[in-house]
């Protein structure tokens, strides 16, 4: 699933601008519609109150003369299709809050107390009880809106007129306003969005170009002519100039590295030689001192002769260990190589493959133990597979094929990562040559030394998309087994 954070700025900036414009337009439209709804409701209440006040005056005479039929005719005419926009259900109640007459007699039967007609009627009756003066009052209950207007004659309260509106009263008007506002918002969006996409792409192009230039640094340094800088004093221009300076310095550093490579190799060999000389000179100095002391004082002293021989033995053992380490311990004691040793390497390298999200294909055709030192063969296999895992890109593939033929054991480690340049192949197994990942090159050098000590052969073939290291080890190597514990 594509993550929004992984999308290019070419699309991320315009998308964010689009979302911002859409949210802004939606919020503005919603706020305007809300305000219009409130204004419409207020105007409707004011209009209904004025209309109710006028209508209530026409009902004074029928209610004074108890002309029920005349009162019904008046309110029915008011709620007829030509009665006006304010027409709804009209109910008249007498001073004792009994229903006098209603345009909906099924809901409001004559002479029935108002508070017995449900919860809404009880709230209206409560408002009538608390009402004082001759002003109209409004009450909203659920989806219905009520306007209650007193009917007075010479200061005498004859009753109240209740005008009931449903939500559909304002829906038609509000729907028209909503449609108009939506159309205007869509037109504005159609005008603004192309502009936002254009400017978003204009803003993202310099960033994308800089990212492409920086992304090439791992494999090559872009030429100065290939960099298009933003000629401005803002942050983007500052970043562009900083990247240009960085690439110039990298070019200078690359030139210096080419000039100093030979000197660095000599210096590294010198450091290695100095360390070897130091490790060997220390025990040699002690041995020479012991021999000198023995010559002067110990020609007839058996105890001094024994101590001198012990010192000489320890010094020689120290020198042997140092030299053995330099020879990669090709003749170190080990046990015969078996299928479990190869499987142990597979288990050991699985986490490294998982870190790179790489597929590690393992094909081991080793039927039984063979007379090869397990420690050294495993070291060769580990070095080659680790190098292959370092070379592949995330999601790449490393394959290892191991088998036994009549001539000996064969190993082939393949990967589809970065290939090795032809200019590096002749020096690939030399120490301190390094690799494309910045390593020192000792891993392949040690691998080469072990294979040579085992009378084997190692080769490499590399082309874009496929690199293969092949190892052949004969089975005639004399194996010095580990002594049992």
């Amino acid at each position: 699933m594509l993550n929004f954070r992984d999308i290019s700025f070419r699309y991320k900036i315009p998308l964010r601008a689009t979302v911002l414009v859409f949210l802004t337009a939606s919020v503005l439209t919603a706020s305007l519609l809300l305000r219009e709804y409130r204004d419409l409701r207020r105007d409707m209440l004011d209009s209904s109150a004025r209309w109710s006040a006028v209508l209530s005056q026409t009902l004074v005479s029928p209610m004074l003369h108890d002309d029920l039929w005349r009162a019904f005719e008046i309110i029915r005419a008011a709620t007829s299709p030509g009665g006006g926009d304010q027409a709804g259900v009209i109910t008249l109640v007498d001073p004792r809050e009994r229903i006098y007459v209603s345009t909906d007699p099924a809901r409001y039967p004559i002479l029935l107390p108002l508070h017995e007609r449900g919860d809404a009627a009880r709230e209206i009756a409560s408002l009538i009880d608390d009402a004082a003066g001759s002003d109209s009052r409004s009450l909203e209950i659920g989806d219905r809106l009520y306007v209650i207007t007193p009917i007075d004659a010479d200061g005498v309260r004859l009753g109240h007129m209740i005008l009931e509106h449903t939500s559909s009263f304002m829906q038609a008007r509000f729907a028209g306003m909503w449609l108009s506002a939506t159309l205007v918002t869509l037109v504005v969006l159609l005008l603004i969005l192309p502009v936002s996409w254009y400017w978003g792409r204009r803003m993202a192009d310099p960033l994308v170009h800089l990212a492409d230039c920086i992304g090439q640094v791992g494999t090559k340094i872009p030429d100065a002519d290939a960099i298009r800088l933003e000629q401005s004093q803002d942050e983007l221009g500052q970043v562009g100039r900083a990247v240009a300076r960085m690439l110039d310095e990298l070019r200078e550093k690359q030139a210096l590295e080419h000039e100093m490579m030979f000197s660095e190799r000599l210096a590294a060999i010198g450091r290695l030689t100095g360390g070897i000389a130091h490790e060997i000179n220390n025990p040699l100095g002690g041995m020479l001192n012991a021999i000198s002391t023995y010559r002067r004082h110990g020609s007839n002293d058996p105890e001094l002769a024994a101590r001198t021989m012990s010192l000489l033995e320890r010094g020689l053992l120290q020198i042997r260990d140092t030299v053995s380490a330099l020879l990669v311990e090709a003749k170190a004691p080990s046990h015969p190589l078996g299928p479990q040793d190869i499987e142990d390497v597979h288990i050991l390298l699985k986490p490294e493959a998982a870190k790179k999200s790489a597929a590690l294909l393992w094909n081991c055709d080793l039927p039984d133990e063979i007379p090869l030192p397990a420690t050294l063969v495993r070291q060769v296999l580990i070095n080659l597979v680790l190098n292959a895992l370092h070379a592949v890109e995330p999601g790449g593939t490393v394959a290892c094929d191991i088998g036994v033929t009549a001539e000996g054991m064969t190993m082939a480690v393949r990967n589809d990562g970065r290939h090795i340049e032809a200019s590096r192949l002749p020096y690939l197994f030399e120490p301190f040559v390094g690799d494309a990942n910045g390593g020192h090159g000792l891993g392949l050098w040690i691998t080469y030394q072990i294979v040579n000590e085992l009378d084997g052969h190692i080769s490499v073939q590399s082309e874009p998309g496929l690199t293969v290291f092949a190892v052949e080890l004969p089975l005639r190597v004399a194996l010095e087994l580990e002594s049992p514990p």
Side-chain angles (χ1 to χ4, degrees):
M1 182 178 180
L2 183 62
N3 194 329
F4 181 76
R5 292 179 298 179
D6 300 331
I7 298 176
S8 171
F9 271 101
R10 288 190 181 99
Y11 309 104
K12 190 180 294 185
I13 293 178
L15 282 175
R16 286 177 173 172
T18 300
V19 172
L20 180 61
V21 170
F22 180 78
L23 290 178
T24 303
S26 300
V27 170
L28 288 176
T29 302
S31 62
L32 290 174
L33 287 174
L34 180 60
R35 189 183 68 178
E36 290 297 326
Y37 176 79
R38 291 174 178 174
D39 292 343
L40 178 62
R41 183 178 181 276
R42 184 182 64 251
D43 293 342
M44 186 273 295
L45 289 176
D46 292 342
S47 177
S48 295
R50 291 192 298 269
W51 183 82
S52 298
V54 173
L55 183 62
S56 64
Q57 296 302 314
T58 63
L59 294 169
V60 170
S61 178
M63 294 187 72
L64 279 175
H65 297 88
D66 197 19
D67 190 349
L68 184 64
W69 181 253
R70 177 60 182 164
F72 178 73
E73 288 291 336
I74 292 173
I75 63 175
R76 186 177 65 174
T79 57
S80 64
D85 293 339
Q86 291 81 14
V89 177
I90 300 177
T91 303
L92 302 180
V93 296
D94 60 18
R96 289 185 294 178
E97 298 179 5
R98 294 181 306 175
I99 299 172
Y100 185 74
V101 69
S102 175
T103 58
D104 189 1
R107 290 175 55 199
Y108 301 103
I110 297 175
L111 298 180
L112 196 69
L114 179 63
H115 64 272
E116 295 182 4
R117 303 311 299 165
D119 295 337
R122 280 191 291 272
E123 290 190 37
I124 295 172
S126 177
L127 181 64
I128 291 175
D129 291 337
D130 298 336
S134 60
D135 294 334
S136 298
R137 294 196 175 191
S138 61
L139 179 65
E140 187 171 1
I141 303 175
D143 63 341
R144 299 178 183 272
L145 189 64
Y146 299 89
V147 178
I148 305 167
T149 304
I151 303 175
D152 296 333
D154 297 329
V156 178
R157 182 63 49 85
L158 301 179
H160 289 81
M161 182 179 68
I162 305 170
L163 177 61
E164 177 184 330
H165 297 295
T166 60
S167 59
S168 60
F169 177 78
M170 292 189 298
Q171 284 180 354
R173 293 185 180 181
F174 186 72
M177 290 189 300
W178 179 86
L179 181 60
S180 300
T182 302
L183 290 177
V184 171
T185 302
L186 291 177
V187 171
V188 172
L189 288 176
L190 290 176
L191 294 175
I192 293 178
L193 291 182
V195 177
S196 66
W197 273 84
Y198 171 75
W199 285 110
R201 293 291 296 269
R202 285 286 303 272
M203 292 176 60
D205 283 343
L207 290 173
V208 173
H209 177 68
L210 285 177
D212 291 339
C213 291
I214 295 175
Q216 297 177 24
V217 172
T219 56
K220 67 175 183 177
I221 301 176
D223 297 332
D225 297 336
I227 303 175
R228 301 190 308 271
L229 297 178
E230 187 74 12
Q231 300 298 328
S232 62
Q233 298 300 322
D234 59 6
E235 290 79 2
L236 187 57
Q238 296 174 21
V239 171
R241 289 189 290 274
V243 170
R245 289 195 299 270
M246 179 192 71
L247 295 178
D248 290 339
E249 293 174 0
L250 287 176
R251 294 187 194 95
E252 295 178 3
K253 180 176 179 293
Q254 188 180 57
L256 290 175
E257 287 177 350
H258 285 302
E259 295 176 1
M260 297 178 60
M261 186 175 295
F262 183 71
S263 299
E264 287 181 355
R265 291 181 185 176
L266 291 179
I269 294 174
R271 289 192 298 270
L272 178 62
T273 305
I276 296 171
H278 177 75
E279 293 295 329
I280 294 179
N281 280 336
N282 284 338
L284 280 178
M287 293 164 61
L288 291 175
N289 288 334
I291 293 173
S292 177
T293 301
Y294 178 75
R295 283 179 177 175
R296 290 197 303 269
H297 307 290
S299 58
N300 297 318
D301 187 351
E303 183 179 353
L304 181 58
R307 288 201 304 270
T308 301
M309 293 300 294
S310 177
L311 288 172
L312 292 176
E313 182 181 12
R314 289 199 299 273
L316 290 172
L317 288 174
Q318 184 175 348
I319 294 173
R320 187 198 68 178
D321 292 341
T322 301
V323 174
S324 296
L326 293 172
L327 294 177
V328 205
E329 294 187 316
K331 299 299 182 181
S334 181
H335 62 272
L337 180 70
Q340 187 58 45
D341 295 307
I342 304 299
E343 185 59 27
D344 290 343
V345 175
H346 185 202
I347 296 173
L348 179 66
L349 295 175
K350 279 184 178 179
E352 295 295 327
K355 291 179 182 178
K356 292 291 289 286
S357 300
L360 182 57
L361 306 181
W362 202 265
N363 181 22
C364 176
D365 187 16
L366 199 64
D368 203 348
E369 291 185 347
I370 57 176
L372 283 174
T375 301
L376 299 181
V377 174
R378 287 188 301 181
Q379 185 64 48
V380 169
L381 186 58
I382 289 173
N383 287 351
L384 293 179
V385 176
L386 283 178
N387 282 349
L389 289 173
H390 292 161
V392 298
E393 299 292 338
T397 301
V398 174
C400 181
D401 298 318
I402 301 170
V404 178
T405 64
E407 290 76 21
M409 176 183 177
T410 62
M411 289 187 293
V413 178
R414 297 176 280 111
N415 72 82
D416 58 359
R418 297 180 297 273
H419 76 288
I420 304 171
E421 295 83 1
S423 59
R424 292 182 53 232
L425 288 177
Y427 314 99
L428 195 61
F429 298 105
E430 294 182 6
F432 306 106
V433 171
D435 57 18
N437 298 320
H440 46 60
L442 288 178
L444 287 178
W445 176 70
I446 292 175
T447 299
Y448 183 80
Q449 296 297 319
I450 293 175
V451 171
N452 278 346
E453 289 294 335
L454 296 177
D455 296 330
H457 175 73
I458 183 171
S459 62
V460 57
Q461 296 179 356
S462 184
E463 60 185 32
L466 179 63
T467 298
V468 182
F469 282 83
V471 176
E472 298 176 3
L473 299 175
L475 301 181
R476 58 178 180 272
V477 177
L479 181 64
E480 182 179 354
L481 298 177
E482 294 175 337
S483 57

